Amino acid sequence: MADMQSHTAHITGTEIQTESENLLPNADSPPDAFVRQHDALRYWQNTSADTDGMLGGIPSLSGFSHFSRRDLQGSRSFLAKLGVGTKNGRRPVVNILEGGAGVGRITEGLLLHVGEVVDIIEPISKFTAHLQGKKGVRTIFNVGLEDWEPSETVQYDLIWLQWCVGYLTDEQLVRYLKRCKTVLNKDEGLIIVKENTTTSGVDLFDPVDSSVTREDGKFRDIFKAAGLRLIKQDVQKGLPTSQPGRRLFPVHTYALRAEVESAVSL
């Protein structure tokens, strides 16, 4: 699912979403209530296994050909501000998990350059076939984020989620983040969430791929419910924002750490 996922929510799905009349909130039910994993899986099964497919055809539009490169540059810069990298005294990491990896655009273009090994969660097996046996790629979980169960034998220094959590309901996303927290390096482990956010102040459901685009405040509420602390936030710069008939949502990047549980004296 390219950068989205779940039972209806693929965590590797559509990396880009546009504001259109298809994205309508429902007056009676929260938008995430309409997320259906099987509909999202059907959408991604019929999507080409390449970068253009993962990004919803955006790179093929006039003025958007450098979209992926600029996105990766922005992510690399964000990690550098957190001290993660291989240059200028920054620290490389060992174990990385990418949820909703799609064809590995981010794994190959960013994560393998800052870490030793990457584990991948991606329910659409045709997307990950070429990553089997690739140097640095350790384990590929061909399941949805909502079904993934962590191994207690691995602790991750970095967990990356991009353009995929919209395929999970709010409740599923909280549960997934809590599972991630159990295998996060307790010293300097980071969870990065990079997603489109709405500008209308409400979440919006897209029936085309059965996904929800959340507003910034909802993400903050979800992070708090999962026991995560927001340590840095940024808005991706340098991306084209419009094209005749289309306007891209802003892309927010969140850096999270596990909340330190306070000791209780008896």
Side-chain angles (χ1 to χ4, degrees):
M1 299 176 81
D3 274 71
M4 322 177 334
Q5 172 173 199
S6 191
H7 234 147
T8 275
H10 178 119
I11 30 232
T12 88
T14 285
E15 300 189 328
I16 307 305
Q17 293 185 337
T18 57
E19 293 187 280
S20 72
E21 66 244 11
N22 288 330
L23 298 173
L24 299 174
N26 184 282
D28 300 317
S29 301
D32 71 298
F34 296 96
V35 169
R36 297 289 181 272
Q37 269 82 44
H38 60 273
D39 290 338
L41 287 169
R42 185 183 307 115
Y43 173 87
W44 288 104
Q45 288 284 10
N46 292 313
T47 298
S48 60
D50 54 28
T51 295
D52 198 56
M54 300 301 96
L55 294 174
I58 295 292
S60 63
L61 297 175
S62 175
F64 288 77
S65 60
H66 300 300
F67 192 96
S68 180
R69 179 172 58 81
R70 290 177 182 174
D71 164 64
L72 292 171
Q73 287 174 340
S75 296
R76 191 175 295 110
S77 175
F78 186 78
L79 285 178
K81 292 174 184 177
L82 294 165
V84 176
T86 57
K87 298 179 180 178
N88 300 323
R90 300 184 184 100
R91 61 181 178 90
V93 294
V94 178
N95 293 306
I96 301 176
L97 174 69
E98 184 184 3
V103 298
R105 181 185 72 89
I106 299 167
T107 285
E108 294 185 293
L110 172 66
L111 302 180
L112 286 175
H113 297 280
V114 298
E116 291 184 16
V117 291
V118 179
D119 290 341
I120 286 171
I121 308 172
E122 172 50 56
I124 308 297
S125 57
K126 72 173 183 178
F127 291 163
T128 60
H130 73 288
L131 296 173
Q132 295 283 353
K134 181 179 179 63
K135 183 179 179 181
V137 175
R138 181 172 52 198
T139 305
I140 297 176
F141 302 94
N142 285 132
V143 298
L145 293 183
E146 75 284 0
D147 293 324
W148 174 74
E149 293 293 339
S151 168
E152 295 180 358
T153 61
V154 179
Q155 291 286 300
Y156 293 104
D157 306 298
L158 176 64
I159 297 176
W160 192 276
L161 293 164
Q162 181 168 349
W163 286 320
C164 63
V165 302
Y167 298 91
L168 296 173
T169 65
D170 293 351
E171 183 180 348
Q172 287 175 329
L173 180 52
V174 170
R175 290 202 302 263
Y176 173 73
L177 290 172
K178 285 183 175 179
R179 291 197 298 275
C180 286
K181 192 173 65 169
T182 66
V183 288
L184 190 65
N185 184 310
K186 291 178 175 55
D187 296 323
E188 296 186 313
L190 290 166
I191 297 176
I192 306 296
V193 177
K194 187 171 184 177
E195 291 284 339
N196 295 95
T197 57
T198 68
T199 56
S200 57
V202 296
D203 297 351
L204 299 172
F205 175 71
D206 188 345
V208 173
D209 63 351
S210 193
S211 66
V212 63
T213 303
R214 296 177 171 91
E215 53 98 13
D216 176 66
K218 172 61 71 64
F219 275 118
R220 292 169 180 267
D221 290 343
I222 286 173
F223 300 152
K224 184 176 180 180
L228 296 170
R229 174 169 51 95
L230 180 64
I231 64 169
K232 188 172 183 57
Q233 179 181 2
D234 204 354
V235 178
Q236 170 76 48
K237 298 177 178 62
L239 297 180
T241 58
S242 63
Q243 206 257 350
R246 311 184 80 170
R247 183 165 68 87
L248 298 181
F249 285 124
V251 178
H252 283 242
T253 309
Y254 305 91
L256 307 160
R257 282 209 168 104
E259 282 283 14
V260 178
E261 297 183 5
S262 56
V264 178
S265 57
L266 299 178

